[in-house]
Amino acid sequence: MNINIIDHPLIQHKLTLMRDQETSTRTFRALVNEVAMLLCYEVTRDLPLSTRSIQTPMETMNAPVLAGKKLCFVSVLRAGNGLLDGMLTLVPSARVGHVGLYRDHDTLEAVEYYYKVPQDISERLVVAVDPMLATANSAIAAVTRLKQGGAKNLRFLCLLAAPEGVKAFNEAHPDVALYTASVDRQLNDKGYILPGLGDAGDRIYGTK
Ligand code: PRP
Ligand code: URA
């Protein structure tokens, strides 16, 4: 399985606050932002470095800098935008793409309504972000679309995943590493993650 579980204590603590149904929209949104920064730290942990000659006040040195083209973050709308802001705080120069998808509530299939990514996406490491991977229909559709658009080097970052979704995603895109803070117990009969945190978009934006 191509999966990385990011179980840093700070993330687990914040995730518990997010799961709690008593947590307000305002606090939930702030927590998504904080967790996004911690997740971003881990998903970028192995980025290649090169060196650049600089002059410190003391002497010259060959100092490490990120190698290659800048990263591209892709938000799977709408809940992905909650993670995007925190990630851009850590990597302000990243390029940004958007894939608009919603789940049809009856079929649980992903329906695309928007797509816009940087033209040179094939030359960048692409990190697609969405807080929830439930059936994985949305994640699979987003990654399939990004590959059709030229992306070659992809990672998928979420906050919570269901075991059913992890399996489906790995089968559909074995080349794309999955990063998540937790693999929860199961899906319910409506495709929601248990114990989960409810509908991520509704909780970030207060739409329910
Ligand atoms: C949620 C979530 C994922 C999707 C996960 O989005 O943000 O995109 O469901 O479910 P899946 O793995 O079964 O596809 P939703 O469709 O509710 O849209 P929203 O982000 O606009 O609220
Ligand atoms: N989408 C969500 O926002 N939450 C779930 O539990 C499943 C899909």
Side-chain angles (χ1 to χ4, degrees):
M1 285 272 200
N2 198 354
I3 184 165
N4 300 278
I5 298 177
I6 307 168
D7 57 358
H8 190 289
L10 282 174
I11 296 179
Q12 297 307 311
H13 179 83
K14 291 175 194 295
L15 193 49
T16 298
L17 300 176
M18 295 173 72
R19 291 180 189 276
D20 187 340
Q21 64 172 354
E22 300 300 325
T23 296
S24 68
T25 299
R26 177 185 178 163
T27 304
F28 189 92
R29 198 181 298 146
L31 287 164
V32 179
N33 196 50
E34 291 165 20
V35 168
M37 287 189 255
L38 295 164
L39 292 172
C40 183
Y41 183 80
E42 289 295 336
V43 80
T44 55
R45 176 176 282 282
D46 61 349
L47 290 187
L49 293 168
S50 57
T51 56
R52 173 161 80 83
S53 177
I54 60 165
Q55 178 80 44
T56 79
M58 310 304 290
E59 61 180 14
T60 59
M61 76 174 284
N62 281 323
V65 288
L66 292 174
K69 282 230 180 203
K70 297 193 165 65
L71 298 181
C72 178
F73 297 146
V74 173
S75 167
V76 180
L77 302 174
R78 101 195 122 140
N81 274 7
L83 289 177
L84 182 64
D85 292 343
M87 296 188 65
L88 286 173
T89 303
L90 279 204
V91 190
S93 58
R95 304 301 191 251
V96 176
H98 294 88
V99 181
L101 294 172
Y102 69 86
R103 282 205 315 180
D104 180 295
H105 282 292
D106 297 322
T107 65
L108 300 184
E109 290 302 319
V111 183
E112 183 181 314
Y113 60 88
Y114 188 75
Y115 180 78
K116 185 84 179 174
V117 300
Q119 270 183 349
D120 57 358
I121 194 166
S122 62
E123 297 163 39
R124 299 177 186 275
L125 170 63
V126 177
V127 183
V129 302
D130 187 334
M132 311 302 272
L133 185 109
T135 63
N137 288 343
S138 305
I140 291 169
V143 169
T144 300
R145 187 68 175 87
L146 289 165
K147 285 181 175 175
Q148 286 166 354
K152 294 186 180 71
N153 189 7
L154 275 148
R155 296 176 181 186
F156 194 92
L157 176 66
C158 61
L159 193 51
L160 288 190
E164 298 91 329
V166 171
K167 183 169 178 293
F169 186 83
N170 265 294
E171 282 170 8
H173 296 295
D175 55 315
V176 179
L178 198 55
Y179 291 77
T180 185
S182 174
V183 179
D184 276 12
R185 194 177 71 248
Q186 67 184 93
L187 293 177
N188 71 7
D189 59 3
K190 293 193 164 51
Y192 277 82
I193 299 174
L194 299 176
L197 52 72
D199 188 299
D202 283 341
R203 295 206 62 195
I204 293 169
Y205 296 113
T207 41
K208 209 172 247 174

